[in-house]
Amino acid sequence: MGVMTADCENGENMGLKKSLRGMPKTEKFKNSSITVSRSRFKLWMIRTTTLILLWTCMVQLTALGEMWAPRILKGWPSCYSSSSMDVPTTTAASTTTTTTTHHKLVATPMLAVAKQRTVTMLPPKRIYKNNGYLLVSCNGGLNQMRAAICDMVTIARYLNVTLIVPDLDKTSFWADPSDFQDIFHVDHFIESLRDQVRILKQLPPRLKLRVQRGMVYSMSPISWSNISYYHEKILPLIQKHKIVHLNRTDARLANNGLPLEIQKLRCRVNYHALRFTSQIEELGKKMIRLLRQNGPFLVLHLRYEMDMLAFSGCTHGCTLEEEHQLTQMRYAYPWWKEKVIDSELKRKDGLCPLTPEEVTLILRALGIDRNLRVYIASGEIYGGEKRLANLSSSYPNLVKKETLLEPSDLRFFQNHSSQMAALDYLVSLESDIFVPTYDGNMAKLVEGHRRFLGHRKTIFLERKHLITLMDKYETGLLSWEEFSSSVKAIHTDRMGTPRRRKVIPYKPKEEDYFYANSEECMQMVLDEPWTTTFSSSL
């Protein structure tokens, strides 16, 4: 057949040549051009047909994959089940070895576990009718925004809306220009919650244009609200306007009285979905390795920065010039509502952050070894190194980020207070002892995270009693032995051991903060694989 075909083609070519001999040159050129064009067209058709066939095969294979995928993923539970937050992982390429590998992981040291978990199986997407889009602008520092993000994800889930990756505060005292993706692993955030809520990095183009033109409904939700408030008040607005922008999102969900599913989802976002960027985590690991070189270490969250003192009106131990400077700053921020403050009265009520001198006295009274390495987790201390002289003298192994690391390590973090706070957060989680000197947002969230990781030792200073004891000691009414034994006695049950969250109906600000003691989620520590956090990957 091949020979006959070749002969036919040769005969056709010879016949074509003969027919061309008697033609004018222009006709010969036209006919040869037509022949070449036909050949090219045939080649193009062959290539196109081949591509179409390949594409059809790929589509069919994808369809087959989707048919089999549910069988592979059928172990994924609903968020309403007792193991609702389970995100299984596997280290094997074949699903047949997944179970065996998982049992091996349970008995493997944490470092080995982190190395083996190379592949993460994503949960299937949750399919739901989208009621609209939710824009969120967080306010405050890193940890205030962190809690707000957890609340907003939960609200978006239960309103069946699409959440746009939250905007972070850039206008507060810290003026940090960081975006969400500069601090948190944005792809992990989106993918790890895909079975709960649809999250997009930005609005679809048409809706984005509406926002740019100012055509968006914006509001601040009522603080400490139940989820029913969002169903009854916010959802109708979203359905009407398609986009609603919520600003000032701190403390917008109640601490208590919420369904267990909501509380568990808040924990899942906080302890699993909000992972810091690899750059932040790697530097955090380096800091922890350096701190552990000489044994255990203590993290002192010394909340003695200028903004904290100005906001609280606490000026104990400050000069008249410093008091005037702090008062001026308090009046410069109109959203700081309290202006006239009696510093000494507030201090006696235990409402002021402790000074570095007071902290030194308390650490000594608690019997903290002076040779223990002490890491200060904070921004710039008001008064600088001079104000830390007493603490440095009593605890010579005192370090900060700037003394622990080389300047080149912090080059990309300078002038980004939230990223610096993220480093402090990671180090605080891993410390042998964590001591906050004021119950601000970072102290509360680190407390809750350390509880979640196994009730790690955290000393909650009883400031009101301590102020009374210190004043008596300073005036000679108590000896050192009496003072020290009293300090130890009042902190016996304030070391991070399990306890119930305090509930005060209709007084949410006086209750224990949900993120400081999210007790509903504690059982997830042992039986939920997704609870593997930064600490288990060191």
Side-chain angles (χ1 to χ4, degrees):
M1 288 292 294
V3 174
M4 290 176 66
T5 303
D7 290 341
C8 290
E9 287 179 354
N10 290 333
E12 287 177 3
N13 290 336
M14 288 177 66
L16 178 62
K17 288 178 183 179
K18 289 179 181 179
S19 62
L20 288 173
R21 286 174 190 168
M23 291 183 184
K25 289 186 178 181
T26 53
E27 291 295 327
K28 291 180 183 180
F29 179 75
K30 285 182 182 179
N31 286 331
S32 62
S33 298
I34 291 170
T35 304
V36 172
S37 298
R38 286 176 178 173
S39 300
R40 288 179 179 174
F41 178 74
K42 287 180 181 178
L43 183 60
W44 180 83
M45 283 296 293
I46 292 168
R47 288 177 177 175
T48 303
T49 304
T50 304
L51 287 172
I52 291 171
L53 288 171
L54 288 172
W55 176 253
T56 303
C57 291
M58 288 177 65
V59 171
Q60 292 298 324
L61 287 171
T62 303
L64 286 171
E66 289 177 353
M67 289 173 62
W68 286 99
R71 297 190 180 184
I72 297 171
L73 298 172
K74 67 180 180 181
W76 279 93
S78 162
C79 76
Y80 303 104
S81 66
S82 60
S83 59
S84 60
M85 305 304 171
D86 193 13
V87 179
T89 56
T90 177
T91 57
S94 172
T95 55
T96 57
T97 60
T98 301
T99 305
T100 305
T101 307
H102 176 72
H103 287 302
K104 288 180 181 178
L105 288 175
V106 173
T108 307
M110 296 306 286
L111 180 59
V113 170
K115 289 180 179 178
Q116 289 180 39
R117 291 183 176 179
T118 55
V119 177
T120 301
M121 205 189 302
L122 295 175
K125 287 184 180 180
R126 176 171 169 258
I127 306 300
Y128 60 93
K129 180 184 176 182
N130 181 34
N131 287 320
Y133 295 83
L134 185 63
L135 297 177
V136 171
S137 292
C138 302
N139 59 297
L142 173 66
N143 292 284
Q144 184 170 314
M145 293 190 291
R146 184 186 183 105
I149 292 166
C150 298
D151 286 353
M152 292 300 112
V153 168
T154 304
I155 289 163
R157 160 65 177 84
Y158 284 92
L159 296 186
N160 285 335
V161 298
T162 297
L163 177 69
I164 305 304
V165 169
D167 285 329
L168 303 188
D169 192 343
K170 299 178 178 63
T171 59
S172 62
F173 169 79
W174 303 275
D176 188 337
S178 300
D179 289 317
F180 187 98
Q181 63 269 20
D182 298 321
I183 300 173
F184 299 108
H185 192 316
V186 65
D187 291 328
H188 174 76
F189 175 69
I190 293 170
E191 291 168 359
S192 63
L193 294 168
R194 56 189 255 152
D195 64 325
Q196 296 295 317
V197 63
R198 184 182 179 219
I199 304 175
L200 300 179
K201 293 181 181 179
Q202 57 184 355
L203 282 166
R206 179 176 58 84
L207 297 177
K208 188 176 181 181
L209 188 60
R210 279 179 55 185
V211 174
Q212 290 171 348
R213 291 173 176 173
M215 299 167 61
V216 60
Y217 187 88
S218 185
M219 63 174 292
S220 298
I222 297 174
S223 299
W224 310 111
S225 296
N226 199 296
I227 197 69
S228 60
Y229 162 79
Y230 290 91
H231 275 292
E232 296 166 9
K233 301 295 183 182
I234 306 300
L235 181 57
L237 292 172
I238 296 175
Q239 291 172 328
K240 177 182 177 180
H241 299 283
K242 292 303 177 187
I243 314 170
V244 167
H245 172 230
L246 298 184
N247 52 46
R248 301 193 65 80
T249 54
D250 58 316
R252 300 300 153 171
L253 263 183
N255 292 312
N256 303 294
L258 298 175
L260 181 61
E261 292 80 12
I262 289 179
Q263 301 291 53
K264 280 194 169 188
L265 182 54
R266 294 166 90 180
C267 290
R268 176 171 171 179
V269 181
N270 192 22
Y271 303 134
H272 173 57
L274 285 177
R275 179 186 295 172
F276 293 120
T277 63
S278 58
Q279 186 182 25
I280 291 174
E281 288 210 353
E282 286 304 315
L283 189 55
K285 292 175 188 178
K286 179 178 180 179
M287 294 169 70
I288 294 163
R289 286 196 299 270
L290 291 171
L291 287 166
R292 286 225 182 274
Q293 283 179 350
N294 298 320
F297 69 96
L298 178 149
V299 167
L300 180 64
H301 185 225
L302 188 57
R303 197 71 171 93
Y304 202 76
E305 300 103 334
M306 184 179 182
D307 67 297
M308 184 70 249
L309 299 177
F311 174 77
S312 64
C314 297
T315 58
H316 180 74
C318 294
T319 65
L320 290 175
E321 184 181 350
E322 288 172 334
E323 286 184 30
H324 179 68
Q325 186 183 36
L326 294 172
T327 303
Q328 279 188 318
M329 182 179 180
R330 186 163 65 253
Y331 277 90
Y333 290 89
W335 51 88
W336 291 357
K337 297 179 181 178
E338 194 176 14
K339 301 299 182 185
V340 180
I341 299 173
D342 186 331
S343 177
E344 284 305 310
L345 180 62
K346 200 166 186 178
R347 175 177 176 268
K348 288 183 178 180
D349 286 337
L351 301 175
C352 285
L354 297 170
T355 68
E357 294 84 1
E358 291 170 339
V359 171
T360 304
L361 199 61
I362 293 164
L363 292 180
R364 288 176 53 212
L366 286 169
I368 301 297
D369 186 353
R370 76 184 306 270
N371 295 313
L372 186 69
R373 179 164 277 195
V374 176
Y375 174 87
I376 295 182
S378 73
E380 185 178 352
I381 299 299
Y382 190 61
E385 294 301 322
K386 182 180 177 182
R387 203 68 202 259
L388 290 173
N390 197 337
L391 184 59
S392 299
S393 175
S394 297
Y395 291 92
N397 291 322
L398 191 72
V399 293
K400 299 182 292 183
K401 289 183 288 292
E402 294 78 9
T403 56
L404 185 66
L405 298 169
E406 297 294 330
S408 58
D409 291 324
L410 292 172
R411 184 171 68 250
F412 297 108
F413 297 89
Q414 296 295 340
N415 302 319
H416 293 82
S417 59
S418 291
Q419 295 183 46
M420 296 285 257
L423 294 173
D424 284 340
Y425 187 95
L426 293 174
V427 175
S428 298
L429 282 187
E430 292 302 315
S431 62
D432 297 276
I433 307 173
F434 177 63
V435 184
T437 63
Y438 188 73
D439 52 355
N441 287 293
M442 177 169 170
K444 290 175 181 176
L445 267 79
V446 170
E447 172 192 349
H449 207 150
R450 287 173 67 85
R451 286 184 180 280
F452 185 78
L453 294 173
H455 295 282
R456 296 175 177 179
K457 188 172 183 179
T458 304
I459 303 177
F460 308 106
L461 300 178
E462 218 319 340
R463 292 190 303 277
K464 187 172 182 178
H465 285 84
L466 285 172
I467 294 301
T468 302
L469 289 173
M470 284 188 289
D471 287 347
K472 286 182 178 180
Y473 172 71
E474 293 291 347
T475 56
L477 295 176
L478 288 176
S479 66
W480 174 256
E481 289 74 19
E482 291 172 324
F483 172 69
S484 179
S485 61
S486 296
V487 170
K488 289 174 182 175
I490 64 176
H491 290 93
T492 302
D493 59 349
R494 299 178 65 87
M495 297 286 182
T497 51
R499 63 177 174 82
R500 302 293 296 178
R501 191 169 65 244
K502 183 172 66 176
V503 179
I504 306 177
Y506 309 111
K507 293 184 178 180
K509 291 184 179 180
E510 297 178 27
E511 294 181 321
D512 286 341
Y513 192 36
F514 171 79
Y515 293 104
N517 186 12
S518 48
E519 59 186 55
E520 297 92 333
C521 306
M522 296 303 170
Q523 71 264 26
M524 289 189 262
V525 177
L526 296 177
D527 48 35
E528 304 294 345
W530 65 259
T531 58
T532 301
T533 61
F534 174 86
S535 59
S536 66
S537 59
L538 294 177

